[in-house]
């Protein structure tokens, strides 16, 4: 697929260039890999905690507390697994050479956004559009 021409805005002191530099890519890769390692450890820890909670036996109050803790742990575990999948997707896109491109528009995602959320799949504008459509019932 041919690459579309890269549009560069007039450079201002704080302006972002659309394409990521090799240094920025390396920094983002490191951030993704560190976050991934942290999540894998956290998932393992939560799975052990969930098993430990289910082994405890006590009265009805203890059981209710255990159920609440198990529910919370399960929700956090689900969130961590989702983020881990997004990170793995971002790392795969780096290997493919498509990292940093909005999956909705094909335009570059800004470095500042990627710095805050290196697994971002959409540009800020496209993400806002998705959220607006979700709030209004999909726009159908």
């Amino acid at each position: 697929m041919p690459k579309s021409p890269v549009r560069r805005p007039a450079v201002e002191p704080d302006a972002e260039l659309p394409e990521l530099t090799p240094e920025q890519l390396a920094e983002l890769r490191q951030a993704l890999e560190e976050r991934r390692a942290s999540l894998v450890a956290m998932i393992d820890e939560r799975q052990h905690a969930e098993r430990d909670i289910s082994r405890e036996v006590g009265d009805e109050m203890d059981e209710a507390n255990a159920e609440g803790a198990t529910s919370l742990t399960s929700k956090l575990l689900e969130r961590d697994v989702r983020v881990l999948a997004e990170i793995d997707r971002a790392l795969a896109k780096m290997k493919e050479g498509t990292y940093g491109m909005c999956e909705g528009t094909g335009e570059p995602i800004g470095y500042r956004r990627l710095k805050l959320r290196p697994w971002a799949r959409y540009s800020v504008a496209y993400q806002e559009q998705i959220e607006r459509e979700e709030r209004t019932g999909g726009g159908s």
Side-chain angles (χ1 to χ4, degrees):
M1 186 160 107
K3 285 179 106 179
S4 59
V6 177
R7 288 179 276 145
R8 295 197 185 272
V11 178
E12 298 171 15
D14 203 32
E16 292 186 59
L17 297 177
E19 289 185 2
L20 297 170
T21 67
E23 294 81 15
Q24 289 171 332
L25 273 173
E27 179 185 340
L28 293 167
R29 173 179 276 118
Q30 181 178 355
L32 284 164
E33 289 171 348
E34 287 173 3
R35 176 71 175 178
R36 185 182 194 290
S38 169
L39 277 172
V40 168
M42 186 68 69
I43 288 168
D44 188 47
E45 191 176 304
R46 287 201 171 114
Q47 287 174 331
H48 288 303
E50 200 170 40
R51 280 188 289 252
D52 291 344
I53 290 169
S54 64
R55 279 192 235 151
E56 296 173 6
V57 178
D59 62 15
E60 289 178 19
M61 187 61 104
D62 289 338
E63 195 172 312
N65 286 336
E67 284 181 29
T70 300
S71 176
L72 177 62
T73 301
S74 292
K75 286 178 180 154
L76 293 171
L77 195 55
E78 287 174 22
R79 182 204 62 194
D80 289 347
V81 168
R82 260 193 325 271
V83 173
L84 182 62
E86 291 296 322
I87 289 171
D88 285 341
R89 180 186 186 106
L91 289 168
K93 288 175 72 174
M94 278 187 171
K95 287 179 184 167
E96 297 167 1
T98 58
Y99 178 76
M101 303 304 287
C102 176
E103 292 180 14
T105 64
E107 295 291 320
I109 299 172
Y111 172 69
R112 285 183 288 196
R113 175 162 172 75
L114 291 170
K115 182 117 170 95
L116 292 172
R117 189 179 180 115
W119 57 88
R121 295 169 60 183
Y122 307 112
S123 65
V124 172
Y126 192 76
Q127 183 69 45
E128 288 173 351
Q129 178 184 337
I130 290 170
E131 291 169 5
R132 219 175 6 262
E133 288 173 2
E134 287 173 355
R135 282 193 305 269
T136 60
S140 306

